[in-house]
Amino acid sequence: MSRAVTSVLERNVEPPGVDIRGAWTEAFHNVRAETERRAAPLSAEDQLVQSMADTSPTKWHRAHTTWFFEQFLLKPHAPSYREFDERFGYLFNSYYVAAGPRHARPERGLVTRPDAAEVTAYRAHVDRAVVQLLERADAAALAKITPVIEIGLNHEQQHQELLLTDILHAFAQNPTSPAYDSGWRPPRCERGNDAVDLPAGIHSIGFGGEGFCFDNEQPAHQVLLREGMIGRHLVTNGEWLKFMADGGYASHDLWLSDGWAKVEAEHWNAPNYWREIDGAWFTLTLAGLKPVDPAAPVCHVSYYEADAFARWAGKDLPTEAEWEVAARAGLLADAFGVVWQWTRSAYLPYPGFRAAAGALGEYNGKFMINQMVLRGSSLATPAGHARASYRNFFHPPARWQFSGLRLVDYR
Ligand SMILES: [Fe+2]
């Protein structure tokens, strides 16, 4: 989202020379088009599949992000709006209890109707209504609707990332290892294994600037960092291969009890999507099955694996505060755009956090239990979506995201 749009929103006034409706309309079109661009390589069959309860079909992502605008923007703010199909609220509400009953999450892949083409028509219907709402809004109406459009666009960007992580998981179930995009290439990364001093002392973390943030990034508050060294670089596949060769997946004493239970139950012996073929390791990427590059950052590891690796290395995962302070100081290479980085911070409310009233208050706050924070962003995160204060969160066994790690050393 452009700074012009966000600064206009902050002030809720239209500065001279700024076309506020045009800026929001352009931002809306750009984000909506990116979702369709990501879905374009996928057939209707691809778009239906749901390979586990944690993932969703592409078609569902396309429809759910559209329902979000219908439910939270058009129904409250566009009195003449007619729903595309009144059954879609039940099908495409994800977890908003205040928005009414909803279809069971693990059964999203069983919904063959509406088909992908009908979802395309649903998106076009809602797009027209949103643009019309923007065109006709006076200044007072704009002040009410633009915050909803802004969270709707940030929400859709989150689903753009999930669209890719979820289809990769689906393709991983296919013995032919399909490619989402045979021309896809991994992001370039800085090489090395340097560590840099953490700035010890009192620092502020959390979002305190202008523009958009999610509620879980606030309130900004002070934290105390102890002395230590944080990895400038991400942990690589080559380092992970040493962990594996040293019996990392066979040594119970390296693992948390819950993690070891996963190793045993699911026979983990390498990161997710790794396959050993004739003595060589390959991994499923968006471009299909590729040899594991020892110099590339390790990807598709769970919190349990990251934690065990840190213990094996005689180091620790950073806290989210250490990560944020180091990122703001420019100490981290590849902080963004490669892999989300596990921290050893539980996903908890910041001191003084209160979820907003109403259905959108369900966005983040009610998930602040039993999950761990990841920082940065990944190769699948849309450009401009993440920031230093951004808090991603997943359950400790999750390994289908583009998730890796860097280490901290307190000795
Ligand atoms: Fe959602």
Side-chain angles (χ1 to χ4, degrees):
M1 206 159 304
S2 76
R3 296 303 296 177
V5 166
T6 52
S7 63
V8 162
L9 179 67
E10 287 301 307
R11 292 190 294 271
N12 272 336
V13 294
E14 190 166 356
V18 174
D19 173 12
I20 185 170
R21 289 167 192 79
W24 278 106
T25 302
E26 184 181 356
F28 181 77
H29 280 313
N30 287 344
V31 172
R32 298 285 285 169
E34 175 64 14
T35 303
E36 295 300 274
R37 193 186 68 76
R38 290 185 181 214
L42 302 171
S43 68
E45 291 86 348
D46 292 333
Q47 291 199 29
L48 176 61
V49 71
Q50 180 180 26
S51 49
M52 64 170 169
D54 284 342
T55 60
S56 296
T58 298
K59 185 178 74 178
W60 185 91
H61 286 300
R62 294 174 60 224
H64 162 70
T65 49
T66 305
W67 166 84
F68 193 96
F69 285 107
E70 186 173 64
Q71 176 68 28
F72 298 122
L73 179 72
L74 296 173
K75 288 167 99 175
H77 297 287
S80 62
Y81 176 72
R82 291 277 169 84
E83 282 178 276
F84 182 82
D85 187 320
E86 62 185 19
R87 299 169 298 179
F88 282 12
Y90 184 85
L91 287 177
F92 300 124
N93 177 2
S94 52
Y95 55 65
Y96 297 90
V97 177
R102 70 217 68 86
H103 186 57
R105 177 175 182 152
E107 296 173 8
R108 289 173 185 166
L110 303 179
V111 180
T112 60
R113 309 285 176 89
D115 63 20
E118 287 174 282
V119 169
T120 301
Y122 178 40
R123 288 180 66 86
H125 175 84
V126 167
D127 286 353
R128 280 192 297 274
V130 171
V131 170
Q132 190 177 78
L133 180 67
L134 271 167
E135 284 171 352
R136 296 179 180 177
D138 60 18
L142 273 180
K144 286 183 182 165
I145 66 173
T146 50
V148 185
I149 294 174
E150 187 161 50
I151 195 169
L153 295 179
N154 279 275
H155 169 255
E156 182 144 351
Q157 288 182 315
Q158 292 183 318
H159 280 276
Q160 288 166 0
E161 173 147 5
L162 294 174
L163 189 157
L164 294 183
T165 60
D166 293 3
I167 199 65
L168 185 63
H169 187 269
F171 283 171
Q173 316 311 312
N174 184 326
T176 68
S177 301
Y180 164 79
D181 171 8
S182 57
W184 178 86
R185 294 289 177 270
R188 285 181 175 275
C189 295
E190 187 179 304
R191 297 196 174 202
N193 59 356
D194 305 339
V196 290
D197 284 326
L198 274 172
I202 297 172
H203 299 268
S204 181
I205 67 163
F207 188 83
E210 287 194 354
F212 178 81
C213 75
F214 284 108
D215 58 357
N216 62 4
E217 299 167 54
Q218 291 183 316
H221 59 283
Q222 291 186 318
V223 293
L224 176 63
L225 264 55
R226 61 169 290 183
E227 289 182 1
M229 306 280 286
I230 190 166
R232 173 167 173 77
H233 301 100
L234 298 164
V235 169
T236 64
N237 288 326
E239 292 169 291
W240 204 269
L241 286 162
K242 288 180 187 165
F243 168 69
M244 290 162 56
D246 199 34
Y249 282 95
S251 307
H252 70 89
D253 52 337
L254 294 175
W255 294 77
L256 294 166
S257 178
D258 288 353
W260 185 246
K262 277 285 180 190
V263 170
E264 291 198 306
E266 300 189 10
H267 308 293
W268 288 355
N269 65 348
N272 205 9
Y273 305 147
W274 282 34
R275 291 174 203 165
E276 194 170 20
I277 302 171
D278 297 333
W281 284 103
F282 290 77
T283 183
L284 186 66
T285 72
L286 293 170
L289 202 60
K290 298 290 179 186
V292 167
D293 174 6
V298 69
C299 188
H300 303 300
V301 294
S302 63
Y303 176 83
Y304 292 140
E305 288 164 290
D307 173 83
F309 179 92
R311 194 164 292 109
W312 171 79
K315 299 180 182 177
D316 291 277
L317 297 173
T319 66
E320 63 171 320
E322 290 164 347
W323 190 99
E324 183 171 333
V325 170
R328 287 189 191 281
L331 302 177
L332 307 182
D334 303 315
F336 299 97
V338 183
V339 287
W340 290 100
Q341 296 134 65
W342 287 107
T343 73
R344 62 187 171 88
S345 297
Y347 180 50
L348 294 170
Y350 282 166
F353 170 83
R354 291 290 179 273
L360 284 176
E362 296 184 48
Y363 201 109
N364 283 311
K366 71 181 186 181
F367 300 110
M368 291 175 172
I369 187 70
N370 296 334
Q371 308 203 54
M372 302 301 287
V373 172
L374 302 96
R375 289 305 200 103
S377 66
S378 87
L379 57 92
T381 311
H385 179 69
R387 57 200 150 261
S389 60
Y390 197 101
R391 306 174 79 199
N392 199 354
F393 50 93
F394 278 95
H395 290 105
R399 60 203 307 245
W400 90 103
Q401 295 298 304
F402 295 99
S403 51
L405 68 155
R406 71 179 71 234
L407 296 176
V408 69
D409 188 353
Y410 298 114
R411 287 172 298 170

